[in-house]
Structure formats: C-alpha cells, structure tokens
Amino acid sequence: MQNHLSAAADPIGWHGTTILCVRRDGHVTMAGDGQVSMGQTIVKGNARKVRRIGAGGTVIAGFAGATADAFTLLERLEAKLERYPSQLERACVELAKDWRTDRYLRRLEALMAVADKDRSFTLTGNGDVLEPEDGVIGIGSGGNYALAAARALMAMPDLSAEEIARRSMKIAADICVYTNGNIVVESI
C-alpha cells in the first residue's frame, strides 16, 4: 500500500485526508484536516480524523481512507490496547497480524498513524508497523506535502512539535486540493 490512498485504491473516488504526526523534545502532536471529498466535490469540511484512544486517552490516532474501515480498525486497536496496556508497539503488531490474516479485515481500505508518549507508528493493511526514524509521519492525500514541510521545519530548533504540525498542515492545505485548513490537533 502506498503512503497515500489514491483514486485507484478507492473505487468510489473518495479523497481528502491529511494526517501528520510530529515528535520533538519529548512531545508528540498529531494533526488532521477536516476535508472529505467525492470526486471534485467537497462533501464535508469538518470531519474529525484524529482522536485520543486507549485508557485515559494516552494514545493518539489518525486515519486516512474509508471512514467505516478506519473506525473498525480504531476499535480493534483499542481492544488490543486493553489487552496490552502501555504496550503500543505490541498492540500495533497484533492488530497488523489480524489485519493481514483476517479475511474481513484484509478488505479494509485505510491507513493509521498512532503515537503515545514514547513511540509513533504507521499501520497498513500489508501488515506493516513502521516507526519513522525522524519522528515524523505523514499519511493521506496530502500526507507527503505535510511530511516534506515538517521535515524542513524540523531544522528550526525553536519550533515545538505542535507549531511544526500546524505550519506543515497549512502548507499541505495550500498545495493539496484534497486538504483543507480545518485542522484538529491532539498533543501528548
């Protein structure tokens, strides 16, 4: 699966997600835009694609792809976190195993970015659990734009994780027609 969902991956032509996760100086911020598009039409501008999950909201998750599929995966991840509390990596690996081997889950069209106070991961339907080497994850239609902007802004030592995420999302929204400026931010 690619780092973004394309029209080929989604036969209905739904687009419109940019999720960015930035880790810096012991803080992690995840940001997501609110746009959902079908073809050339904006269907919704204030979707909430970033949320806190797990006991006490200790994990933040963002999703790109089909909404129902993403919610199914979020529920499964929450169940794994209940089974493996304070073990985000183990919960992600267990979800990825299920996602790859379960006939029903294999058909789900979504990507997830998840993070706790210590680690960040990208989860894919191919069974991938990827931890970024630079602390930055970008997924969705505008994910590569936000990722590039965030990596460039990481060179500015005076910016916090949240400032980098907000500025990067604005840049992505200015470039990607499937990304808007209605940004939801969660930080740990």
Side-chain angles (χ1 to χ4, degrees):
M1 184 172 275
Q2 299 173 2
N3 194 26
H4 66 283
L5 295 175
S6 65
D10 186 357
I12 316 174
W14 290 94
H15 288 282
T17 297
T18 300
I19 302 294
L20 179 67
C21 181
V22 178
R23 180 174 296 281
R24 177 175 244 181
D25 299 329
H27 299 280
V28 64
T29 295
M30 191 167 305
D33 79 313
Q35 183 165 310
V36 177
S37 304
M38 188 171 97
Q40 296 178 350
T41 304
I42 297 170
V43 178
K44 184 172 182 170
N46 64 345
R48 186 172 176 83
K49 305 169 207 166
V50 173
R51 56 195 65 233
R52 290 181 175 273
I53 63 172
T58 58
V59 173
I60 46 180
F63 61 83
T67 305
D69 293 353
F71 280 120
T72 298
L73 293 168
L74 283 172
E75 289 171 5
R76 297 279 181 126
L77 181 58
E78 280 198 285
K80 297 295 183 187
L81 288 167
E82 286 176 19
R83 185 168 181 190
Y84 306 108
S86 301
Q87 297 179 59
L88 180 60
E89 181 177 17
R90 174 109 189 250
C92 289
V93 168
E94 293 299 322
L95 174 62
K97 283 185 204 175
D98 291 350
W99 195 353
R100 177 116 173 116
T101 59
D102 182 277
R103 187 172 290 210
Y104 167 73
L105 293 178
R106 252 195 326 248
R107 293 188 182 107
L108 299 182
E109 302 261 342
L111 290 171
M112 292 177 58
V114 298
D116 66 8
K117 64 182 178 57
D118 299 313
R119 314 275 299 273
S120 303
F121 299 101
T122 302
L123 284 76
T124 75
N126 293 333
D128 299 315
V129 178
L130 305 169
E131 184 172 21
E133 62 185 52
D134 59 0
V136 182
I137 296 171
I139 62 172
S141 300
N144 288 333
Y145 303 115
L147 178 67
R151 284 184 175 162
L153 291 170
M154 291 289 279
M156 301 177 76
D158 58 321
L159 295 179
S160 69
E162 184 170 338
E163 290 169 320
I164 291 170
R166 287 184 184 280
R167 288 183 184 192
S168 299
M169 291 296 290
K170 181 179 180 338
I171 291 168
D174 288 344
I175 297 170
C176 178
V177 297
Y178 299 112
T179 304
N180 71 11
N182 187 358
I183 308 300
V184 172
V185 175
E186 291 285 349
S187 298
I188 298 176

